Amino acid sequence: MNNDDFRAWSARAAAWGADYRRTIRERPVRAQTRPGEVAALIPAAAPETAEPMEDIFADFEEKILPGMTHWQHPRFFAYFPANAAPASVVAEYLVSAMAAQCMLWQTSPAATELETRMMEWMRQALGLPDRFTGVIQDSASSATLNAVLIMRERALQWAGNRQGLAGKPAIRIYCSDQVHTSIDRAIWVSGIGEENLVKIPAGGCSRGMDAATLDAAILGDRAAGHLPAGVIASVGGTSVGGTDDVAAVGAVARRHGLYLHVDAAWAGSAMICPEFRPLWAGVEGTDSIVFNPHKWLGAQFDCSIQFVADPDSLVRTLAIRPDYLQTHGRDGILNYSEWSVPLGRRFRALKLWFLLRAHGLAGLRTMIRDHVAWSKALAERLRALPDFEIVTEPMLSLFSFRHRPAGTDHLDAHNLVLLNAINDDGRIYLTQTRVDGKVAIRFQAGQFETTEADIDTAFTAIVETAAGLA
Ligand SMILES: *Cc1c(COP(=O)(O)O)cnc(C)c1O
């Protein structure tokens, strides 16, 4: 592709993006395709000869687009939306054109220094004390893996990377039973082993772990010759928003000298609003925090921020310095590749800079406050109907409900049928979970361009679809 073609196709792609966003409400939110349908449209091997861009682009629109679930659809109420506010998409066009590798300061000084500045902006925006230093990771899963690796290395007095885990006492990590599966995977990948992830049953209306039970588990493990290493607290579990009392859990962790990581992947963005900060009271005393600006803040996926109180322990765990990566002669520079498992790093700070400037913190706070208020109002509208029950109360913008018409047995199966019918209808997209063993339907508002009218549509779609099943 020559430069003139590149210019023309870039303009066409940008125009396509704008048209796509303008008309996105006309599409069903969840892809209405069957497994294998798209693959059947794609040749089994790469072409030997070049094809015209016109054909490639046409195939994208014809074969790919119908098989997409539309994550930027304002009526995406499933999982937690992975957002891409237009200002951050524009930044990604630029990042994509430059395609810089931002592993070391010298491989892109501006990327490193903007990242440092953005982390300071975000730390202040979240009301965190300046003992925290931030770094952008690709995902919360990576940030949590880093935290678990630090826990392991601290507990083994920094010998794990060199010696492995054979012959060492069992390293124990503690969390509630509401944590995201990324915690389980971090425990697998770090070699600690799932049997050494101690899940404390969550209870109470916030569905958090009990600090006294945590304390007893740690004491019991010490007595058994195990090696307690860290605690992972959840602020806003993915299922129904399970939230630990960070202050109480943190006090136990500190008393035992354990490292404390907080997973606030979706809920963390809400902390730009001071009134929501009591939800993570005690966070100022933790060791590591992860939250995803690519979720509620609107930064184009992927952008996950990890704040650490002691960056040296992160670098000590992950830094590896072969000769070809040595940089000489400059003091005080940061090489962020030493702060993450992957060596290569995309320039993710640019989209955060564009986003924060294009909307301002006040604009982002308004969006989050609206989502929380609208979600609560929807829960009340459903609660007021005789055939619906609210299973878990709104945690910020997340609640779960169940349809319970009189005379219907097998409510689990009934609610799964309802969920599928809602998603086949296409006006909205919801996902399910289990609460105390029973199927519940989740509702989560968090898409960047959701309006109050979209929430009304959700109410209508839920109620109409349920009526249609009767
Ligand atoms: C989304 C989510 C994650 C995983 O985030 P990734 O960035 O996709 O790894 C982890 N924890 C919670 C609570 C989440 O909501």
Side-chain angles (χ1 to χ4, degrees):
M1 180 177 277
N2 66 31
N3 197 261
D4 287 341
D5 289 341
F6 179 50
R7 176 185 306 277
W9 282 105
S10 297
R12 176 111 171 239
W16 183 90
D19 288 341
Y20 170 72
R21 292 292 183 93
R22 183 171 50 78
T23 57
I24 197 166
R25 276 194 181 78
E26 295 159 17
R27 301 172 192 277
V29 190
R30 195 206 55 193
Q32 308 285 321
T33 9
R34 286 183 306 280
E37 221 175 293
V38 179
L41 301 174
I42 310 296
E48 278 302 325
T49 51
E51 298 181 41
M53 270 301 282
E54 205 54 72
D55 294 358
I56 303 169
F57 203 92
D59 279 350
F60 160 69
E61 293 195 286
E62 233 168 78
K63 298 176 177 165
I64 302 301
L65 196 59
M68 295 302 291
T69 290
H70 302 291
W71 280 73
Q72 304 316 313
H73 199 301
R75 294 193 297 268
F76 186 109
F77 302 118
Y79 309 100
F80 197 97
N83 275 306
S88 71
V89 175
V90 172
E92 276 292 295
Y93 289 147
L94 307 180
V95 164
S96 180
M98 292 186 288
Q101 243 286 14
C102 307
M103 55 190 178
L104 308 173
W105 178 87
Q106 73 173 20
T107 64
S108 275
T112 298
E113 295 187 12
L114 186 66
E115 180 161 340
T116 304
R117 195 57 99 209
M118 288 307 98
M119 295 304 91
E120 290 162 4
W121 284 17
M122 287 312 311
R123 186 190 70 218
Q124 295 162 29
L126 265 57
L128 292 171
D130 60 11
R131 62 187 283 269
F132 286 105
T133 309
V135 56
I136 304 182
Q137 307 286 358
D138 54 0
S139 63
S141 302
S142 290
T144 294
L145 175 61
N146 294 343
V148 167
L149 292 171
I150 295 172
M151 292 174 188
R152 188 191 76 185
E153 288 305 296
R154 266 179 96 245
L156 295 175
Q157 279 143 18
W158 314 98
N161 279 338
R162 276 176 289 116
Q163 299 172 357
L165 304 188
K168 302 280 195 294
I171 294 167
R172 305 285 272 185
I173 311 277
Y174 307 84
C175 61
S176 86
D177 59 9
Q178 294 294 304
V179 292
H180 188 266
T181 50
S182 55
I183 280 88
D184 301 74
R185 278 214 282 207
I187 299 295
W188 296 357
V189 174
S190 60
I192 291 171
E194 191 171 287
E195 288 171 7
N196 294 310
L197 178 63
V198 181
K199 289 195 177 169
I200 312 283
C205 49
S206 58
R207 291 175 191 268
M209 65 178 131
D210 175 51
T213 312
L214 169 66
D215 192 47
I218 296 169
L219 286 171
D221 280 351
R222 281 247 159 88
H226 299 329
L227 192 52
V231 179
I232 299 173
S234 181
V235 174
T238 316
S239 171
V240 292
T243 296
D244 293 312
D245 178 340
V246 176
V249 164
V252 173
R254 262 193 304 283
R255 192 156 68 244
H256 292 284
L258 305 192
Y259 194 87
L260 178 62
H261 172 65
V262 175
D263 177 5
W266 69 264
S269 294
M271 305 310 168
I272 63 171
C273 308
E275 71 271 28
F276 298 133
R277 292 182 194 155
L279 285 170
W280 72 356
V283 75
E284 60 284 350
T286 62
D287 298 300
S288 168
I289 306 161
V290 64
F291 91 102
N292 284 350
H294 72 235
K295 284 182 171 161
W296 218 345
L297 273 194
Q300 197 263 12
F301 180 80
D302 52 357
C303 183
S304 181
I305 296 180
Q306 181 172 21
F307 287 108
V308 285
D310 173 27
D312 288 349
S313 61
L314 176 59
V315 172
R316 190 165 177 192
T317 299
L318 294 178
I320 189 161
R321 291 176 185 154
D323 285 341
Y324 60 83
L325 290 179
Q326 299 282 356
T327 49
H328 297 285
R330 282 177 192 276
D331 288 327
I333 58 165
L334 288 174
N335 293 320
Y336 279 123
S337 62
E338 298 182 339
W339 299 50
S340 56
V341 174
L343 172 67
R345 313 181 81 242
R346 301 178 60 245
F347 184 5
R348 298 191 183 88
L350 195 72
K351 59 194 169 193
L352 212 45
W353 192 48
F354 273 46
L355 174 82
L356 292 170
R357 295 179 66 187
H359 293 273
L361 289 170
L364 297 171
R365 283 189 202 106
T366 300
M367 171 192 65
I368 287 173
R369 285 174 178 142
D370 282 346
H371 291 169
V372 171
W374 295 340
S375 185
K376 289 202 163 113
L378 177 65
E380 292 318 314
R381 287 178 81 183
L382 289 172
R383 197 198 308 272
L385 300 176
D387 289 352
F388 284 90
E389 67 175 325
I390 299 305
V391 177
T392 56
E393 294 298 322
M395 152 63 183
L396 295 169
S397 64
L398 169 64
F399 70 90
S400 66
F401 66 94
R402 221 161 131 80
H403 187 227
R404 200 185 42 179
T408 306
D409 302 328
H410 309 298
L411 281 181
D412 282 357
H414 173 76
N415 277 276
L416 289 175
V417 169
L418 171 61
L419 179 75
N420 283 333
I422 288 170
N423 292 334
D424 287 345
D425 169 83
R427 276 176 286 178
I428 63 172
Y429 182 23
L430 303 177
T431 42
Q432 78 291 336
T433 188
R434 272 183 189 270
V435 180
D436 304 325
K438 294 188 208 144
V439 170
I441 301 178
R442 295 170 74 260
F443 179 90
Q444 171 98 71
Q447 206 284 328
F448 203 79
E449 279 159 349
T450 296
T451 63
E452 202 167 4
D454 291 314
I455 309 280
D456 278 343
T457 305
F459 177 78
T460 312
I462 293 166
V463 173
E464 281 179 6
T465 311
L469 294 183

